[in-house]
Amino acid sequence: TLLLDAKADPAHKVRGEGNALFAAGLGGSPELIDLLLARRPDLWEQTNMLGEWPITGALYLGRERATRPLIDTCPKFVARLNAQDAIGHTYASWAVMGSADVGCIRALLEAGADPNLVGPNKSVWRLITRVGSACFRLKGLRQSNLLEVLALLNPAPPLHWSAAFGNRGCVEELLSHRASPNATTRTKRQTPLHLAALRGNLSTVE
């Protein structure tokens, strides 16, 4: 606790990232997360310039051990498990868009996360999605890279991205918690099956 005892500010936000809790989530240290929350219980509520919560980095990287302290010790966090960020993503969505660790999505679902919730896709993000899609096609990047960018910019229920990325474990976990296999995205009204078929992911279909 040398830096904290010397009055280092854990709420200081790094451009493009966030406060010290955001960094601790990326680093995957539950002990450091515990320490930061003990000193500043409000850190988890402080979003960055993109409207992302500090814990989204840990969820995206599949760091279950870094998310457990919040679920186990922070009632306010659990009470807002179904909150949506500036784009429309929920915590559950972030948990399946990156490394997609089954433990992360299971922890959120068991704590009460809604597997079918999706926020509105705001007009500015629809524009960014279209421009981004065009740029990626022009640069000739792989479809998998494009899909990951679209996932970040297009809010959809977690089952959609689990199916699209071929994360069978996450699909099974979500379905066991009553995720709807016929839910649709806000823009193109795509279903999880459509996205899985688009990527040729047989493992998440059969």
Side-chain angles (χ1 to χ4, degrees), residues 9-20 22-23 47-50:
D9 182 10
H12 172 75
K13 296 181 181 181
V14 176
R15 289 181 180 176
E17 294 181 14
N19 60 27
F22 192 100
T47 58
N48 64 13
M49 62 183 297
L50 297 177

Side-chain angles (χ1 to χ4, degrees), residues 113-181:
D114 185 346
N116 296 308
L117 189 64
V118 58
N121 192 356
K122 300 177 182 179
S123 57
V124 62
W125 293 110
R126 287 200 296 269
L127 176 61
I128 290 174
T129 298
R130 294 192 185 107
V131 172
S133 177
C135 290
F136 268 73
R137 284 199 299 270
L138 288 173
K139 289 184 178 180
L141 295 180
R142 295 179 302 173
Q143 184 185 16
S144 59
N145 291 333
L146 173 59
L147 185 64
E148 186 167 355
V149 170
L150 295 182
L152 291 172
L153 296 179
N154 278 298
L159 185 60
H160 284 68
W161 301 119
S162 296
F165 289 127
N167 298 318
R168 184 181 179 90
C170 290
V171 169
E172 291 174 342
E173 194 68 35
L174 286 160
L175 289 174
S176 72
H177 283 82
R178 300 185 179 181
S180 173

Side-chain angles (χ1 to χ4, degrees), residues 81 85 192:
L81 267 182
D85 63 17

Side-chain angles (χ1 to χ4, degrees), residues 102-114:
V102 176
C104 277
I105 188 63
R106 181 183 297 123
L108 293 172
L109 292 171
E110 289 177 349
D114 185 346

Side-chain angles (χ1 to χ4, degrees), residues 31-72:
E31 295 81 13
L32 184 52
I33 289 175
D34 277 337
L35 178 62
L36 290 170
L37 288 173
R39 295 293 184 96
R40 287 287 302 272
D42 63 323
L43 285 177
W44 71 270
E45 299 179 271
Q46 299 175 0
T47 58
N48 64 13
M49 62 183 297
L50 297 177
E52 298 170 341
W53 303 290
I55 206 64
T56 53
L59 292 171
Y60 187 76
L61 293 176
R63 302 189 189 281
E64 180 192 358
R65 290 183 66 240
T67 62
R68 281 289 179 182
L70 271 174
I71 293 174
D72 295 339

Side-chain angles (χ1 to χ4, degrees), residues 88-113:
H89 294 310
T90 63
Y91 289 108
S93 297
W94 279 106
V96 299
M97 286 192 298
S99 299
D101 179 80
V102 176
C104 277
I105 188 63
R106 181 183 297 123
L108 293 172
L109 292 171
E110 289 177 349

